[in-house]
Amino acid sequence: MSAALLALVLLPASGGMFLLLGRHRFDRGAVPLALVLGVAGVFLAGTAAVTRASLSVPFLSSGGRAVVDGADVGLAVDGLSAVLTVTVAAVALVVSVFAAADHEARSSRARFFGYWLLFVAAMQLTVTATTFPALLVGWELMGATSYALIGFRWRAAGKTAAGTTALLTTRATDLGLYVAAGAVLAGSGSLSLDLVGLGSPWLGVASTGVVLAALGKSAQLPFSGWLSAAMQGPSPVSALLHSATMVAAGGYLLLRLHDGLAGPATVVVVWAGASTALVLGAVAVAQTDLKQLLAASTAAQMGFVVLGAGAAAAGSDAGLLGGAEHLTAHAAVKAGLFVAAGAWLSTLGTKQLAGLRGAARRTPAVGVAAVACAAVLAGIPPLSLWTTKDEVLAGVQAAGLPAGTVLHVVALTAGALSAAYAAKIVALVLAPWRGPSAQRVSAATTVAALVLAASAVALGAVALPAVRDAAADLLGVPPGQGPGVGALVLSGSLALVVGAVVLARPAVAGAFERTSLAPWLGTLALLRAVGRGALGLARAADRTDRSLDHGVMALSAGVLATARIVEIADVRGIDGAVEGAAVGTVGAARRTAVLDDRVLDGAVRRVAGTAGHLGVLARRPQTGLLHQYYAQAAVGVGVLFLVLLIVR
Amino acid sequence: MLLTVLVLLPAVAGIVLMAARVPERAAAWGWVAASSVVVAMVAWTWWGLDPDGGIQYDVKVRWIPTVDASYHVGLDGLSLPLMALTAVLFWCCAIWSLRRPERARSHAAIFLLLETTCLGTFAALDLILFFLFFDLSIVAMYFVIAGWGHGDRQRSALKFFLYTFVGSLALLLGFIGLFLGSTPRTFDIVRLTANPPWHDAPGTASLVLLALFIGLAVKTPVFPFHTWLPPAHTDAPAEGSAVLAGVLLKLGTFGFVRIAMPTLPDAWQRWATWIVVIGVVSVLWGALVALAQTDLKRMIAYTSVNHMGYVLLGLGAVGVLARENGDAADDIGSAGVAATGAVVQMVSHGLLTGALFLVAGILWSRGRSYAFSQWGGLSRVMPGFGVVLAVAAFGSLGLPGLSGFVAEFEIFAGSLAGVPVAVTVAVLGILLTAGLFLRALRHLLTGDLTVPDGVDARSIQDLTASERVSIVPLLALSVAVGLLPWLLLDVVGPAADDLVALVAR
């Protein structure tokens, strides 16, 4: 069913372009179109996943065949991409329902859903790509459409700047993919999305490039800051971009290419993932704004996925299984929480945690969904993130990485921090409330939140051995043992204890707020400083460029001065000589005329006249216009050369 | 014959417009009509071209037999896309100019003459003919800037003229050098390619290449020969800037692929590393200086230096790969990709930068200023302007779906095998261009509505019909190349592979 796979990308892409080209005329039809295409997307993703479709569309081809192997847009669905493509389609559909109801996206709906659909198409292309051109097209289009979505309300101050930060940070790391593509082509003569079998040094170059791109997109350290800025975007955008798509793409890319990554790159991946899980987990605990908390938590949870991919790269199947499971479960959890945050922002008018006191009591249905999602996020047994995280940890152990114990402790601590920030949310939204009840949350938003929460809870089924084996089978890895009972009990009780402490004593989490963790440890400031540095460098280059120009002008002024000297010599010397000759000739003629008045007179007059005329002509080229001198010189040089050549 | 008519038709039309003293308004439409015919003829030629057939539509007429210089023109997959670009861009400029410039008749005539010089340069297969058209283009462009520009136009025009003219003298010197090394002596490019001159005198070949390089590098322009470009662009009329950046710069890069590389393959291989270095410096320098600009038109002008740097990077990498692989390059692979990318970049830059300069012209026509500080929030009052500016900017920064991505991806991917460090540094260029275009979009389109003093913000008009019709086709073609690159690669690919084989001799 390659048609389903093609439609999975082309349908939302053309729908999006249609809406964007029609602009305000299609504002009314945008929501139905987005929802219809969303439903179609789920259906198509399912079909493509079940049938394991694959296809190739001519792209960089000449005379009907690819210029090099893998230069076409190749798409395919295997076990891993089957999981992701269905997750993306499902989350996109549910969040579209929320977006249709959310007030932040109420104006310019054609523009909003136009970019939305393009974004979804780009993500599906990224997930199913089997060649570098296909991956880069999807990857970069996803970045550009995220810019448009984050900066959607461009009239408001700071929104476009936030989109710019996101796009520039991710593009900076995307450069790695361009280099990786070149290295793969150099090493294998092909542009297929596969690092396996590359020799040195191309393997190292390609691995570095891929890892850089993935860490940037997944907002891992030190690139995490852009995710904080991206929270300026409308809530539905946050719900889509920071759950199943965009940030997920980085982790996914590492999972996809894990079996080809070079050794040193693997170590970088593992530590980037673990340290992001730990540090951004702590940053999340320190936030006072719900969306900022969720964003930091997204980076931290992606850290577990990246960690799993690193373990998989080091040879552990459990790492791959755990990473993929964690990616999927987190998508549902985080989309649900962002939908709840968006619902509260519309009904209660704030996303500051202080203002959300008792929010779950004021909007009960959304409250239930949010608390359920928070419980999953905390890693409370028997919910999904509890087991998936332990699966990742089992993978780390099995991989036999250097300093494996340290990694394990870091990851466990990071898990405990998830429980802390999840409990921080729950403590506030469940706090007693006696004020007026809030305005009603729209039914669509409530349904979206509940569906996502239910999915998040249901995905806990992966703890069951039968489900786990099926997942392993889907991903094509041997089932193995999975996390041991001891590990599960340890992490589960850790989550319960930490969660209970924060619920009982919110001040424990509050202490984090007064540290430098609150401003994201300066990660956003770092990105802005790099931007300012580039601008400073640019200004210095500009000054140098002006001096270069002055140098050229001084040189030409020198030429001009020389030309003036030559001109003076020309007027006084050559021209004078010509005129003098004329005068002399006339004089001579007069003297001759005395001797032979009748015979030579006419001829001499003609000579004198001609000489005088030549004198006038000789002056004519001296127009004083420099370019005309040059033209004359050029013609002279050219003629001279030609004469030389002809008579040589 | 068809090709001769195609090349000379615009000039003849221009002369007729002048000689018949056609009324000003009718002359503007006459230009549209003539350039439409050219577009149709180029399309016909494209349809009839056999991509694997080498040089076609060729005509050779005796001219100066003693030095074997002849009127020799022809087309292949390298020149046809550039001729098509020329035809389309001039057509767009003709539509744009329906806004009644002063002295519309002589304006139309000088542009038609300019079109002939550009088409002629791309078609020329004889060095003297090439030089003739190449130099006449400078003269015509001088009059465009000096006659219809703004600001300090006389000075800018003179600077442009002097700089590029001195460059062309170096080029002439190089041509004479090629002639002197050929046996039997000839100015015919096809013969020089078949039997490269100076192949047993590497020192002389290097000197000849140096002369050619300087001549072409000034026109391209690459660092450090680029300083004529910003003032020329800033003070040229919009349609003049579009043609200058879109077509005239390509005369320089085209000279590399048509003349320098095939006729001096050994020297090109020997100096390839340096050519790559100059390309990378141009990439970074152009992007960095562009980032610092506070004037939209100067900024776009500097991005040309950046974009042309990629062309040199790709062509230099072809030389490096040829040197490393030697004659045994039975798989053209990477080098073919790099060469194809360089040619696609020429076309892509013509489309996108042509569009960008026309968009900048809209700004000038509304408020006589290009300064970022004088404009802001324009999407509020000119949404159509915002759309075309954003599309052209994203195309220029290399977004997939537009032509720039295809070109730059091919150049990077193809060059990396030969010059990995250079490519790794050069990719920073696409980050810097992303930064500078996003910055420009933010300044001009978003934020509070700002217009220059004396302009009534409420009366600012969005795109007029002629602006729309002249800009949209350029962007549409860029999208077409971006989504279906094989439309262009079918023609460019085989010719680029031939070029690689010629350099690898």
Side-chain angles (χ1 to χ4, degrees):
Chain A
M1 282 300 282
S2 53
L5 181 52
L6 192 63
L8 180 63
V9 176
L10 279 192
L11 216 56
S14 36
M17 281 315 296
F18 178 74
L19 288 181
L20 288 176
L21 289 174
R23 310 183 60 200
H24 287 295
R25 262 168 290 163
F26 295 155
D27 276 347
R28 285 163 63 87
V31 169
L33 182 65
L35 292 177
V36 167
L37 290 180
V39 173
V42 173
F43 174 73
L44 292 168
T47 312
V50 170
T51 57
R52 296 296 163 91
S54 74
L55 67 101
S56 177
V57 182
F59 190 62
L60 302 178
S61 68
S62 162
R65 59 193 171 78
V67 291
V68 292
D69 198 25
D72 285 338
V73 168
L75 303 181
V77 180
D78 63 0
L80 179 61
S81 43
V83 174
L84 247 286
T85 189
V86 172
T87 307
V88 169
V91 171
L93 171 63
V94 178
V95 181
S96 299
V97 172
F98 164 55
D102 188 60
H103 82 289
E104 280 191 286
R106 191 145 287 173
S107 60
S108 307
R109 290 204 143 168
R111 182 161 63 88
F112 182 86
F113 284 103
Y115 286 124
W116 180 275
L117 290 169
L118 272 186
F119 178 90
V120 172
M123 181 66 191
Q124 292 289 18
L125 182 58
T126 303
V127 168
T128 52
T130 57
T131 63
F132 269 101
L135 175 71
L136 261 172
V137 170
W139 191 268
E140 291 269 71
L141 273 177
M142 188 162 45
T145 43
S146 77
Y147 164 80
L149 287 171
I150 293 169
F152 175 69
R153 283 171 297 139
W154 53 270
R155 286 160 200 265
K159 304 290 182 190
T160 313
T164 304
T165 306
L167 179 50
L168 285 183
T169 310
T170 50
R171 187 155 221 225
T173 56
D174 292 356
L175 301 182
L177 273 189
Y178 285 88
V179 173
V184 170
L185 178 61
S188 69
S190 148
L191 282 169
S192 296
L193 186 59
D194 192 358
L195 308 187
V196 177
L198 285 181
S200 175
W202 302 122
L203 176 61
V205 177
S207 299
T208 310
V210 165
V211 168
L212 184 70
L215 295 184
K217 208 73 153 187
S218 278
Q220 301 295 290
L221 287 173
F223 309 110
S224 312
W226 72 262
L227 197 54
S228 171
M231 289 303 115
Q232 297 266 349
S235 301
V237 172
S238 305
L240 179 67
L241 266 62
H242 310 309
S243 60
T245 62
M246 188 83 180
V247 289
Y252 170 75
L253 183 67
L254 290 176
L255 290 171
R256 163 132 307 265
L257 296 177
H258 74 272
D259 53 356
L261 291 180
T266 305
V267 176
V268 172
V269 168
V270 168
W271 280 102
S275 55
T276 308
L278 179 70
V279 175
L280 270 293
V283 167
V285 179
Q287 298 309 305
T288 53
D289 173 311
L290 179 57
K291 279 183 78 177
Q292 289 292 334
L293 186 158
L294 294 177
S297 142
T298 295
Q301 296 297 326
M302 280 303 128
F304 285 108
V305 177
V306 170
L307 179 59
S316 153
D317 293 326
L320 177 63
L321 183 59
E325 286 175 356
H326 199 77
L327 193 56
T328 309
H330 171 259
V333 171
K334 201 48 67 70
L337 280 168
F338 270 118
V339 168
W344 290 330
L345 182 57
S346 340
T347 53
L348 309 178
T350 183
K351 54 195 174 73
Q352 291 301 312
L353 284 170
L356 292 176
R357 182 163 286 278
R361 296 177 190 273
R362 293 146 84 184
T363 58
V366 170
V368 167
V371 171
C373 285
V376 179
L377 188 61
I380 304 293
L383 302 170
S384 54
L385 291 189
W386 166 59
T387 29
T388 58
K389 204 181 308 173
D390 277 325
E391 190 80 60
V392 169
L393 286 178
V396 171
Q397 229 161 13
L401 290 154
T405 320
V406 184
L407 268 178
H408 203 105
V409 171
V410 167
L412 268 182
T413 316
L417 286 169
S418 327
Y421 57 69
K424 180 172 176 174
I425 301 173
V426 172
L428 271 164
V429 300
L430 283 182
W433 175 258
R434 287 191 199 79
S437 67
Q439 77 187 84
R440 264 171 50 83
V441 176
S442 72
T445 304
T446 311
V447 169
L450 285 172
V451 166
L452 289 165
S455 320
V457 171
L459 280 167
V462 290
L464 302 172
V467 179
R468 185 183 174 279
D469 289 353
D473 185 47
L474 185 61
L475 295 178
V477 299
Q481 281 304 309
V485 177
L488 284 169
V489 169
L490 174 64
S491 71
S493 42
L494 200 59
L496 284 168
V497 169
V498 172
V501 167
V502 174
L503 277 178
R505 298 225 179 283
V508 175
F512 281 72
E513 291 166 14
R514 291 179 293 278
T515 66
S516 55
L517 290 167
W520 285 62
L521 272 178
T523 46
L524 180 55
L526 172 76
L527 296 177
R528 298 219 164 111
V530 171
R532 274 196 304 278
L535 207 54
L537 191 63
R539 294 209 169 104
D542 185 43
R543 282 191 295 276
T544 315
D545 200 71
R546 283 170 203 272
S547 330
L548 182 68
D549 189 33
H550 291 153
V552 172
M553 293 315 280
L555 194 68
S556 74
V559 173
L560 199 66
T562 316
R564 289 229 171 86
I565 294 168
V566 173
E567 186 188 9
I568 291 164
D570 193 47
V571 170
R572 298 229 177 110
I574 303 171
D575 194 35
V578 172
E579 287 192 356
V583 171
T585 310
V586 173
R590 288 216 174 107
R591 280 192 295 279
T592 314
V594 175
L595 294 173
D596 200 342
D597 189 33
R598 311 203 79 151
V599 182
L600 295 173
D601 186 49
V604 170
R605 272 172 202 273
R606 272 197 294 279
V607 171
T610 311
H613 193 62
L614 281 176
V616 174
L617 276 182
R619 278 188 168 183
R620 195 173 282 173
Q622 293 161 20
T623 54
L625 290 176
L626 193 55
H627 64 276
Q628 293 182 359
Y629 288 131
Y630 271 98
Q632 293 160 23
V635 171
V637 171
V639 169
L640 209 63
F641 265 113
L642 285 179
V643 170
L644 271 176
L645 297 172
I646 293 163
V647 303
R648 85 207 122 86
Chain B
M1 189 57 203
L2 176 69
L3 185 53
T4 303
V5 174
L6 173 60
V7 168
L8 295 182
L9 185 128
V12 171
I15 291 166
V16 167
L17 289 184
M18 288 307 284
R21 305 220 137 267
V22 174
E24 305 276 348
R25 189 75 189 148
W29 281 104
W31 179 15
V32 173
S35 53
S36 304
V37 175
V38 174
V39 170
M41 288 177 77
V42 169
W44 175 256
T45 320
W46 190 296
W47 182 257
L49 186 91
D50 169 19
D52 298 307
I55 286 170
Q56 289 152 68
Y57 297 101
D58 53 329
V59 176
K60 190 168 181 177
V61 180
R62 275 157 51 93
W63 184 24
I64 318 174
T66 41
V67 290
D68 195 23
S70 53
Y71 171 79
H72 190 184
V73 292
L75 278 183
D76 64 359
L78 299 178
S79 51
L80 181 56
L82 293 170
M83 293 188 82
L85 168 70
T86 307
V88 169
L89 201 51
F90 273 90
W91 182 85
C92 293
C93 289
I95 298 287
W96 170 273
S97 302
L98 290 174
R99 56 170 60 215
R100 290 173 190 265
E102 313 153 47
R103 290 164 283 129
R105 183 172 54 228
S106 38
H107 183 260
I110 199 84
F111 267 91
L112 283 163
L113 181 69
L114 186 57
E115 183 169 7
T116 283
T117 63
C118 297
L119 292 171
T121 314
F122 292 132
L125 291 174
D126 181 279
L127 294 178
I128 298 296
L129 194 63
F130 184 97
F131 184 76
L132 183 77
F133 283 126
F134 189 89
D135 249 22
L136 283 176
S137 74
I138 302 176
V139 177
M141 196 69 218
Y142 168 82
F143 284 114
V144 168
I145 300 174
W148 287 270
H150 41 252
D152 198 358
R153 62 189 190 194
Q154 296 292 348
R155 187 184 146 88
S156 296
L158 190 60
K159 188 170 177 179
F160 158 77
F161 187 90
L162 288 183
Y163 213 136
T164 52
F165 202 86
V166 169
S168 77
L169 290 184
L171 189 65
L172 181 61
L173 208 60
F175 285 179
I176 292 167
L178 288 177
F179 171 79
L180 291 175
S182 57
T183 44
R185 294 197 171 164
T186 181
F187 277 111
D188 193 85
I189 295 175
V190 177
R191 287 194 191 169
L192 287 165
T193 303
N195 190 7
W198 301 117
H199 62 88
D200 47 1
T204 316
S206 299
L207 282 177
V208 174
L209 180 63
L210 179 68
L212 291 179
F213 185 87
I214 291 177
L216 297 171
V218 168
K219 190 86 166 192
T220 297
V222 294
F223 182 90
F225 304 114
H226 64 280
T227 51
W228 60 267
L229 186 75
H233 272 308
T234 315
D235 297 334
E239 66 277 17
S241 286
V243 166
L244 176 57
V247 182
L248 261 69
L249 304 190
K250 310 306 173 302
L251 303 184
T253 50
F254 178 70
F256 288 117
V257 297
R258 171 62 84 228
I259 299 168
M261 294 169 74
T263 61
L264 293 168
D266 296 339
W268 189 266
Q269 288 183 24
R270 197 170 317 119
W271 295 101
T273 311
W274 289 103
I275 290 160
V276 166
V277 169
I278 291 172
V280 173
V281 171
S282 299
V283 163
L284 293 183
W285 193 259
L288 264 182
V289 180
L291 180 59
Q293 298 309 310
T294 54
D295 169 308
L296 177 65
K297 219 172 174 192
R298 269 184 82 89
M299 185 195 89
I300 301 170
Y302 273 106
T303 64
S304 291
V305 179
N306 161 275
H307 283 124
M308 292 298 98
Y310 295 124
V311 175
L312 241 65
L313 166 63
L315 297 179
V318 168
V320 173
L321 287 164
R323 188 175 66 206
E324 287 176 356
N325 299 341
D327 247 347
D330 47 4
D331 85 295
I332 289 171
S334 291
V337 174
T340 309
V343 178
V344 175
Q345 175 76 332
M346 296 183 206
V347 176
S348 164
H349 175 261
L351 295 172
L352 290 167
T353 307
L356 276 171
F357 275 123
L358 293 183
V359 173
I362 298 174
L363 216 51
W364 179 264
S365 73
R366 302 298 190 271
R368 305 276 165 231
S369 170
Y370 302 116
F372 289 144
S373 57
Q374 306 251 329
W375 298 99
L378 288 176
S379 274
R380 294 167 195 267
V381 286
M382 303 169 73
F385 171 81
V387 170
V388 290
L389 175 60
V391 172
F394 272 96
S396 193
L397 66 82
L399 181 73
L402 289 112
S403 53
F405 169 78
V406 174
E408 283 159 20
F409 175 74
E410 288 201 311
I411 291 172
F412 293 147
S415 304
L416 196 114
V419 286
V421 177
V423 170
T424 310
V425 176
V427 287
L428 284 172
I430 64 171
L431 176 62
L432 288 169
T433 42
L436 67 94
F437 276 116
L438 294 183
R439 190 161 167 264
L441 292 180
R442 186 150 62 90
H443 276 302
L444 293 175
L445 301 183
T446 69
D448 295 331
L449 182 61
T450 315
V451 294
D453 293 337
V455 175
D456 180 8
R458 282 159 304 168
S459 72
I460 286 189
Q461 195 193 357
D462 203 357
L463 302 190
T464 64
S466 79
E467 286 163 353
R468 202 182 294 265
V469 176
S470 56
I471 294 169
V472 170
L474 295 171
L475 299 178
L477 281 173
S478 178
V479 170
V481 173
L483 293 179
L484 308 170
W486 44 268
L487 286 173
L488 182 56
L489 300 185
D490 276 351
V491 170
V492 173
D497 287 350
D498 290 347
L499 175 68
V500 170
L502 288 173
V503 175
R505 280 180 291 177

